[in-house]
Amino acid sequence: MVNPRQGLGAMRRHDGAAVEWRVSDRLVPYEEALDVMETRSGAVADGTAGELVWLLEHPALYTAGTSAKAEDLVQPDRFPVHRTGRGGQYTYHGPGQRVAYVMLDLSARRRDVRAFVAGLEDWLIATLGRFNVTGERRDDRVGVWVRRPEKAPGAEDKIAAIGVRMRRWVSLHGISLNVEPDLSHFDGIVPCGVREHGVTSLADLGLTPSMADADMAMRASFEEVFGPTRDV
């Protein structure tokens, strides 16, 4: 089943303040990203720093969420495995995949975790729509999915993942969008514990946007859902 859209703009700040928007043009080690995220989210909660969205790429690695199952790590020696405090199960990060770490203050927006996750889904769905890709949400699976009838009747693949954590009503972790990663790297895990469906990317769907193109689409769509941004 497809859930109804929650409505763009549902998670805007009450005061209309802009979110800092940062893009890294290098591969960022996972531990470095965690340190930055932990420090910044604490500062946001303390009121000593503004909200931040940080776009980056990681070296090839797997992360295990709080619900990860040992049997879903199929190739434990293929890439480094990082235990993390976000929700969800195993996922892959690597070159060609745009990761967005989202440090937003729900106290300044709406203290509703379900609405926040729906907002992240809306963000991704709107981003895909800018490339004429129809992304969909599912009741029984987290993330954003695309139908693949050319593969088999009823087939669908995951194109974007969501994994978040809340601390003092400030979000940590965020989303990932498959632009042009090596999809074979997902073979070392059962992505998000879902065995019945595969993964895809914009490139796998026959599209050729650059990472910069994806970034522009993500920023425009983010502003539709969460409000204005500013460069840092």
Side-chain angles (χ1 to χ4, degrees), residues 60-64 69-83 90-92 184-190:
L61 57 90
Y62 298 128
T63 67
K69 300 176 182 178
E71 61 268 25
D72 288 345
L73 182 58
V74 180
Q75 299 174 10
D77 299 324
R78 185 168 186 180
F79 298 124
V81 179
H82 298 269
R83 302 286 168 179
Y90 281 104
T91 193
Y92 164 78
S184 71
H185 290 179
F186 286 89
D187 295 343
I189 57 172
V190 178

Side-chain angles (χ1 to χ4, degrees), residues 27 57-61 92-98 179-182 185 211:
L27 297 180
E57 293 173 84
H58 284 305
L61 57 90
Y92 164 78
H93 294 313
Q97 180 191 73
R98 180 52 91 201
V179 179
E180 194 177 5
D182 184 339
H185 290 179
M211 192 64 75

